[in-house]
């Protein structure tokens, strides 16, 4: 084998997968995993660990894969991560652990994510569960939100011996893992539900259909329900729009609504009672991972799909892998293009999207070159559906119903990056509720920090 190159991962053929919701990436088999693990040079000063927001002992678990001891590999990963099968699929490894891999200096970085996925899937197939703490502290902690931040915080606290209850607003646990990420990237039954069951196996209780701020407030949880600390991991589910003419027309959706209908409510299935707009020609405005997810979902529902993004391909914030898959499947990229107006027919339905061409000028505050309109370059893309994927912000319900909880000008909760501590005593926060929309693994890192902060606070009481 060529140690400078990754062992290729098997995938569904692009023409086949564009018509189904089955998982695109098929992962490594045992032989492939051991072969890829053998490429690891087991550095003394492993940079990959420094690139992991939850600090998994990456060389340690890979060494066990190399030895064929997958149970031990899973135990090593589980010391740091509650969601390895999820992270192995959706984490941006190329900019984190794999981005710092020494093997990548003279060749291709190790496929750390694919190896993590292999170990997690092997453990699930063989009924291996994370270990449970025998020592109970007799102290109750509430966790708001069952997304990656909440599940990670709850799992870590349960391992420390705390009595943890997660409160989830929706009817199903998982947060963005169940409503935001499509089945073809993250299978719900095979992956998400099994990882949630592993968290519950640690003793964590999950109550669904509980809207904090409506059903019960944080103050009531502390004052009336006996919870000694609270972690807020409620995410950022409030969509943003451009504010252009025609944006309230029939056939305009936020990516959040579109993906929730498909992912959580299974609207892609003809038997589902939840409707979804099956456009013939769809424009998705935005260039992040959520935009790719929305575009690839619309494609699978039978549409011709355009990604409309105001910068160039180099500035696309989506993962390179997701852009590559979208192109393979036939998504059309209208780059350096900015919508100015949504056109409608006589019945108020979308009939097109008016755009203007852009060129890149000087860098803006984000460090990316600012897109500037090209005069006289207006044109129309004929579409019947527009999906806005411009980012999200936290729902202000929790902050507005919790006295003494500081938020910033973006309506994000102000919390310490180190331990999740907020301005309100006994209340901690992390993930998208604090940072705005970010990645699954960064939310998990914040969940770990919050668990550490809560343990230090309650241990000192």
């Amino acid at each position: 084998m060529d140690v400078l190159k990754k062992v290729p991962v098997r995938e569904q053929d692009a023409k086949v997968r564009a018509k189904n919701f089955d998982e695109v990436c098929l992962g490594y088999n045992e032989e492939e995993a051991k072969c890829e693990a053998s490429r690891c040079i087991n550095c003394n000063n492993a940079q990959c660990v420094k690139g992991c927001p939850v600090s998994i002992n990456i060389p340690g678990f890979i060494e066990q894969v190399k030895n064929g001891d997958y149970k031990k590999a899973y135990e090593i990963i589980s010391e740091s991560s509650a969601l390895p099968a999820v992270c192995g699929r959706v984490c941006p490894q190329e900019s984190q652990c794999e981005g710092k891999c020494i093997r990548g200096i003279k060749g291709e970085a190790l496929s750390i994510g694919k190896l993590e996925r292999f170990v997690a899937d092997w453990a699930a197939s063989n009924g291996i569960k994370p270990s449970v703490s025998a020592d109970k502290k007799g102290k109750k902690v509430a966790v708001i939100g069952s997304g990656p931040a909440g599940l990670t915080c709850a799992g870590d606290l349960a391992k420390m011996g705390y009595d943890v209850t997660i409160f989830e607003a929706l009817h199903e646990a998982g947060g963005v893992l169940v409503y935001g990420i499509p089945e073809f990237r993250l299978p719900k039954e095979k992956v998400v539900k099994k990882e949630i069951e592993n968290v519950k196996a640690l003793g964590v209780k999950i109550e669904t259909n509980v809207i904090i701020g409506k059903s019960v407030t944080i103050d009531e949880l502390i004052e009336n329900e006996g919870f000694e600390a609270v972690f807020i991991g409620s995410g950022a589910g409030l969509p943003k729009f451009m504010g252009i003419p025609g944006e309230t027309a029939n056939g305009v959706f936020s990516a959040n609504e579109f993906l929730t209908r498909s992912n959580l409510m299974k609207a892609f299935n003809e038997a589902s009672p939840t409707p979804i707009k099956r456009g013939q020609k769809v424009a998705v405005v935005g260039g992040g991972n959520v935009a790719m997810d929305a575009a690839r979902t619309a494609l699978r529902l039978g549409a011709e799909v355009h990604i409309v993004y105001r910068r160039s391909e180099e500035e696309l914030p989506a993962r390179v892998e997701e852009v590559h898959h979208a192109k393979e499947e036939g998504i059309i990229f209208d780059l350096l293009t900015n919508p100015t107006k949504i056109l409608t027919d006589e019945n108020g339905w979308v009939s097109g999207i008016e755009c203007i061409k852009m060129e890149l000028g000087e860098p803006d505050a984000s460090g990316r070159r600012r897109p500037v309109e090209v005069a006289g370059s207006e044109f129309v893309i004929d579409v019947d559906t527009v999906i806005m994927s411009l980012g999200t912000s936290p729902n202000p319900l929790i902050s507005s119903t919790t006295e003494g909880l500081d938020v910033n000008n973006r309506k994000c909760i102000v919390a310490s990056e180190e331990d999740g501590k907020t301005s309100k005593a006994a209340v901690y926060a992390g993930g998208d509720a604090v940072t705005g929309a970010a990645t699954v693994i960064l939310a998990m890192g914040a969940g770990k920090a919050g668990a550490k902060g809560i343990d230090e606070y309650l241990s000192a009481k």
Side-chain angles (χ1 to χ4, degrees):
M1 64 172 281
D2 184 352
V3 296
L4 296 182
K5 290 190 175 295
K6 294 179 179 182
V7 173
V9 67
R10 291 163 292 117
E11 296 178 344
Q12 274 198 79
D13 179 82
K15 290 182 180 177
V16 175
R17 71 181 190 239
K19 292 179 168 51
N20 67 53
F21 280 82
D22 298 335
E23 192 168 12
V24 169
C25 180
L26 304 178
Y28 284 147
N29 60 29
E30 191 170 336
E31 180 184 349
E32 292 164 340
K34 291 177 78 169
C35 191
E36 179 64 16
S38 71
R39 296 181 59 234
C40 180
I41 58 178
N42 207 5
C43 312
N44 290 327
N45 183 21
Q47 297 300 305
C48 55
V49 178
K50 296 177 182 178
C52 175
V54 296
S55 302
I56 292 171
N57 178 0
I58 294 168
F61 97 75
I62 289 176
E63 182 68 21
Q64 297 308 320
V65 173
K66 196 186 305 183
N67 297 338
D69 191 344
Y70 310 127
K71 183 174 184 291
K72 181 63 176 175
Y74 179 72
E75 289 170 353
I76 291 171
I77 295 172
S78 295
E79 290 171 3
S80 304
S81 175
L83 306 170
V86 169
C87 288
R89 286 168 165 83
V90 303
C91 280
Q93 290 97 2
E94 65 278 2
S95 62
Q96 294 176 336
C97 54
E98 292 179 18
K100 293 186 178 295
C101 176
I102 300 300
R103 173 61 79 189
I105 295 175
K106 293 183 179 179
E108 295 180 348
L110 204 68
S111 286
I112 297 168
K114 300 296 189 292
L115 290 172
E116 181 182 18
R117 167 188 166 153
F118 166 78
V119 171
D121 287 356
W122 181 90
S125 297
N126 289 273
I128 309 298
K129 300 282 186 183
S131 57
V132 181
S133 172
D135 300 323
K136 302 300 179 187
K137 298 186 185 293
K139 294 182 178 181
K140 290 172 62 178
V141 180
V143 172
I144 301 170
S146 64
L151 289 170
T152 299
C153 184
D156 279 13
L157 288 168
K159 289 177 186 176
M160 296 174 192
Y162 291 99
D163 179 1
V164 186
T165 301
I166 295 176
F167 295 98
E168 168 56 48
L170 296 176
H171 63 280
E172 193 170 321
V176 70
L177 304 177
V178 295
Y179 73 72
I181 304 176
E183 190 80 15
F184 54 81
R185 279 218 296 138
L186 187 62
K188 309 310 170 213
E189 293 290 335
K190 174 186 170 185
V191 176
V192 179
K193 286 189 177 180
K194 285 189 176 181
E195 301 240 276
I196 291 172
E197 287 303 315
N198 284 347
V199 172
K200 290 169 71 175
L202 296 171
V204 174
K205 297 180 284 293
I206 301 179
E207 293 189 21
T208 56
N209 298 309
V210 179
I211 302 174
I212 301 300
K214 287 259 186 208
S215 308
V216 63
T217 65
I218 286 177
D219 291 321
E220 288 169 344
L221 288 175
I222 296 172
E223 294 167 12
N224 304 334
E225 304 289 339
F227 289 99
E228 297 188 50
V230 176
F231 177 79
I232 303 171
S234 50
L238 194 63
K240 297 177 182 177
F241 290 87
M242 292 185 71
I244 59 176
E247 210 166 30
T248 58
N250 296 323
V252 179
F253 299 88
S254 70
N256 264 33
E257 179 185 353
F258 186 76
L259 289 170
T260 299
R261 286 176 180 272
S262 179
N263 301 332
L264 180 65
M265 307 306 294
K266 310 300 181 194
F268 64 83
N269 187 331
E270 296 285 1
S272 171
T274 299
I276 194 166
K277 179 78 161 61
R278 293 175 179 262
Q280 296 301 304
K281 290 188 176 183
V282 176
V284 178
V285 181
N289 289 323
V290 175
M292 300 304 144
D293 286 343
R296 296 172 69 197
T297 297
L299 180 83
R300 282 159 172 77
L301 292 171
E304 173 189 294
V305 184
H306 295 248
I307 289 277
V308 180
Y309 181 62
R310 63 183 184 152
R311 288 184 165 97
S312 71
E313 183 168 348
E314 188 177 335
E315 286 81 26
L316 278 169
R319 292 183 68 189
V320 172
E321 181 179 62
E322 300 308 317
V323 175
H324 170 68
H325 282 156
K327 285 183 173 180
E328 279 190 327
E329 292 165 6
I331 304 290
I332 300 162
F333 282 74
D334 292 306
L335 302 174
L336 290 169
T337 300
N338 201 40
T340 55
K341 183 178 182 181
I342 295 171
L343 307 176
T344 58
D345 63 17
E346 63 276 9
N347 296 314
W349 284 89
V350 172
S351 62
I353 184 166
E354 189 177 280
C355 303
I356 189 166
K357 296 303 290 183
M358 312 291 284
E359 59 185 10
L360 296 179
E362 295 300 313
D364 61 15
S366 72
R368 295 182 298 173
R369 293 173 64 192
R370 186 188 302 276
V372 180
E373 292 184 355
V374 177
S377 64
E378 294 84 356
F379 69 104
V380 172
I381 304 174
D382 292 325
V383 294
D384 57 22
T385 307
V386 176
I387 300 171
M388 291 293 183
S389 183
L390 306 167
T392 54
S393 60
N395 190 313
L397 179 62
I398 290 175
S399 57
S400 67
T401 58
T402 307
E403 194 170 336
L405 189 64
D406 288 349
V407 296
N408 61 24
N409 58 5
R410 296 184 297 128
K411 305 300 181 186
C412 294
I413 297 168
V414 177
S416 163
E417 187 176 331
E418 184 179 340
D419 61 6
K421 188 175 182 180
T422 72
S423 57
K424 187 175 177 68
V427 177
Y428 293 72
D432 291 3
V434 171
T435 61
T439 62
V440 167
I441 190 65
L442 289 176
M444 290 177 63
K448 288 187 77 68
K452 173 178 170 285
I454 288 170
D455 178 51
E456 290 172 352
Y457 166 72
L458 292 179
S459 296
K461 283 187 73 176

